[in-house]
Amino acid sequence: MNNKFSKSLIFVISVVISLSLFACDKPVIEEETTIYIPEAANQFAIDKETEVETIEPTKAHREYPADFELKVDNEIVIGEKQFLTKINYIYNNIDKFKNSTIVVEGMYGWYESWDKTFEFPMVYRNGPAEHGDDQYSGFYLVNIDQSAHHIYDWIKVSGKPFMYEHTDSEGELQRFLFLLVEQIEVLPLKERKAEMVNN
């Protein structure tokens, strides 16, 4: 069994187990902000204690070439070329893009933080690193019917981006890039594109 297959198998098993054990709280929208807050997340962090150590990501997932600039537009399509670079740029310049519609394709997945205080569906592609936030890149998703999608479905998502700040059980503030989904569709197998991106 090769190393890449082993990692994929472990990921699939962990996702299946987490889906069967934990249900994602329905986010609540704050009036006039379009920001969704997971109700139970911070309370969970207060109630639970954990000895698990977080794996700190490198800074690579927040970097992009110094001369790169993504034009602010009504619709921004994130395709095969510069997938990581465009998402990183939006992450670092979220205020510029809050009124843009982001269109992105990738795998449907489920993210669960190490301390179980943050659990959300996501659209993502695998990145060049082996662990931490560098192993994938994409957006977390709100405003979708989770029962309509399966892990590793290839999906096309359109929505408005926003940043959600979450405090984990050790009191560390983390920032997560979301899409408030306006449209989502599962694409047929023949339209599936590269699952691994390097730039």
Side-chain angles (χ1 to χ4, degrees), residues 25-129:
D25 295 311
K26 288 233 181 245
V28 176
I29 191 167
E30 292 182 354
E31 294 284 330
E32 301 179 14
T33 63
T34 69
I35 302 297
Y36 281 72
I37 306 298
E39 287 181 292
N42 288 327
Q43 188 57 47
F44 189 102
I46 292 168
D47 294 342
K48 303 289 182 183
E49 291 183 357
T50 178
E51 296 178 358
V52 179
E53 292 185 9
T54 183
I55 299 175
E56 293 296 335
T58 70
K59 61 182 181 178
H61 72 293
R62 293 192 174 96
E63 290 186 339
Y64 46 86
D67 60 347
F68 179 83
E69 184 173 356
L70 183 61
K71 181 183 175 186
V72 177
D73 209 341
N74 290 333
E75 181 177 274
I76 297 171
V77 178
I78 300 178
E80 304 293 291
K81 188 176 181 182
Q82 297 181 315
F83 184 90
L84 295 170
T85 303
K86 289 178 180 178
I87 292 176
N88 292 341
Y89 191 86
I90 292 170
Y91 181 97
N92 285 289
N93 298 277
I94 186 64
D95 290 341
K96 290 183 180 180
F97 299 98
K98 60 186 179 181
N99 295 318
S100 298
T101 296
I102 307 298
V103 181
V104 60
E105 288 183 30
M107 290 177 285
Y108 176 78
W110 185 266
Y111 175 83
E112 179 182 283
S113 66
W114 64 272
D115 61 357
K116 309 291 192 294
T117 62
F118 183 90
E119 303 171 56
F120 273 97
M122 63 189 301
V123 56
Y124 74 102
R125 298 196 194 190
N126 292 315

Side-chain angles (χ1 to χ4, degrees), residues 118-179:
F118 183 90
E119 303 171 56
F120 273 97
M122 63 189 301
V123 56
Y124 74 102
R125 298 196 194 190
N126 292 315
E130 294 185 0
H131 62 79
D133 291 352
D134 298 331
Q135 69 184 1
Y136 56 83
S137 183
F139 295 86
Y140 300 99
L141 307 174
V142 291
N143 197 34
I144 68 168
D145 178 5
Q146 295 174 27
S147 65
H149 308 96
H150 303 282
I151 300 300
Y152 295 131
D153 275 351
W154 192 263
I155 57 175
K156 181 177 182 180
V157 184
S158 304
K160 295 286 194 298
F162 68 89
M163 193 70 71
Y164 169 62
E165 293 187 344
H166 169 73
T167 303
D168 68 17
S169 60
E170 291 186 345
E172 184 176 344
L173 183 66
Q174 300 172 350
R175 302 174 77 224
F176 295 92
L177 188 57
F178 272 84
L179 285 182

Side-chain angles (χ1 to χ4, degrees), residues 173-189:
L173 183 66
Q174 300 172 350
R175 302 174 77 224
F176 295 92
L177 188 57
F178 272 84
L179 285 182
L180 178 61
V181 177
E182 298 167 344
Q183 185 175 358
I184 183 170
E185 61 179 312
V186 178
L187 299 179
L189 187 61

